[in-house]
Amino acid sequence: DSGVTQTPKHLITATGQRVTLRCSPRSGDLSVYWYQQSLDQGLQFLIHYYNGEERAKGNILERFSAQQFPDLHSELNLSSLELGDSALYFCASSKVGVNTEAFFGQGTRLTVV
Amino acid sequence: DQQVKQNSPSLSVQEGRISILNCDYTNSMFDYFLWYKKYPAEGPTFLISISSIKDKNEDGRFTVFLNKSAKHLSLHIVPSQPGDSAVYFCAASGPSNTGKLIFGQGTTLQVKP
């Protein structure tokens, strides 16, 4: 158990809909990252939040947004869903500091039908 | 442009022998490298890391080697065990230490009893 909790584990929704994925980081971790893993692909960095503030953005679509709340949990919002958005979405958290490893949650498998 | 590459999609070794997983990167600004292991339906699990100021880091059965001039790193598992069968991802970060990780595509390791 990494200590990072993601909900829900599975999500099936229709095209055009909007969903929210939730992540609770490890206790004491201020940084939260979101990654997307499509079929047979590596993990693609989406966005990084540190203590409530956006720190870095990757290849995140404009239809996607995220935020980190004062209690440090984070939500990834995906809207106007398309079939190609079907993927595993992982959240990771890490401590402050140089060269620290990130710990990943179990992921949310999103299926858009 | 894939900055981190794992050119071998799969590797099969016999139990007790050495497993060597390879990773190449293109961005000379990367200064921290990590290996993650991933079982099906689980999130990636941190295995071992190495800073660019070192050329070797060892943790039990796992050793990571870094050759900066060749922009190459490798993970050695000795001796390999059936429970090591999983997908292995190498990842790189730096230099701004945003924590953003760039992942390779992964190598599926099968350790045969």
Side-chain angles (χ1 to χ4, degrees):
Chain A
D1 183 7
S2 67
V4 178
T5 304
Q6 286 188 250
T7 57
K9 288 188 177 177
H10 302 276
L11 197 49
I12 301 176
T13 189
T15 54
Q17 295 298 304
R18 172 190 167 96
V19 297
T20 298
L21 313 183
R22 182 188 168 102
C23 170
S24 294
R26 292 190 318 159
S27 176
D29 286 357
L30 298 181
S31 276
V32 170
Y33 311 84
W34 287 96
Y35 289 84
Q36 178 192 55
Q37 185 183 23
S38 301
L39 190 63
D40 294 333
Q41 298 286 314
L43 286 84
Q44 301 293 319
F45 170 75
L46 294 178
I47 199 163
H48 169 207
Y49 273 84
Y50 173 76
N51 202 21
E53 292 188 4
E54 181 185 304
R55 277 297 178 91
K57 257 184 176 179
N59 297 323
I60 187 167
L61 299 171
E62 285 192 9
R63 300 183 285 108
F64 295 2
S65 65
Q67 53 184 330
Q68 187 180 25
F69 295 87
D71 67 352
L72 300 178
H73 91 271
S74 177
E75 294 181 355
L76 179 66
N77 300 296
L78 316 175
S79 62
S80 303
L81 285 167
E82 302 175 358
L83 297 177
D85 297 327
S86 296
L88 268 168
Y89 291 84
F90 289 103
C91 167
S93 73
S94 70
K95 295 191 184 304
V96 179
V98 177
N99 295 343
T100 58
E101 61 271 20
F103 291 85
F104 283 77
Q106 290 198 328
T108 293
R109 180 173 291 281
L110 173 67
T111 303
V112 183
V113 297
Chain B
D1 177 28
Q2 198 169 344
Q3 298 186 70
V4 178
K5 297 180 183 178
Q6 295 176 255
N7 292 318
S8 298
S10 63
L11 174 67
S12 181
V13 301
Q14 207 66 34
E15 180 179 6
R17 306 295 290 269
I18 185 171
S19 295
I20 300 176
L21 296 100
N22 294 303
C23 180
D24 297 296
Y25 61 96
T26 58
N27 189 340
S28 59
M29 300 300 286
F30 288 145
D31 59 8
Y32 189 56
F33 303 89
L34 309 89
W35 284 94
Y36 283 84
K37 177 170 73 173
K38 186 181 182 301
Y39 293 118
E42 295 186 11
T45 301
F46 170 74
L47 263 180
I48 192 169
S49 62
I50 188 167
S51 165
S52 60
I53 62 173
K54 295 185 175 182
D55 55 18
K56 177 182 174 181
N57 189 26
E58 193 171 353
D59 184 2
R61 297 186 298 114
F62 302 91
T63 302
V64 56
F65 295 92
L66 175 62
N67 182 334
K68 283 198 299 181
S69 61
K71 295 192 181 66
H72 177 84
L73 64 154
S74 61
L75 175 68
H76 293 209
I77 306 173
V78 184
S80 301
Q81 300 173 354
D84 295 329
S85 298
V87 180
Y88 289 78
F89 292 97
C90 71
S93 72
S96 59
N97 193 39
T98 63
K100 166 185 173 181
L101 296 176
I102 306 297
F103 281 86
Q105 299 293 85
T107 296
T108 300
L109 173 66
Q110 181 185 29
V111 180
K112 297 180 179 178

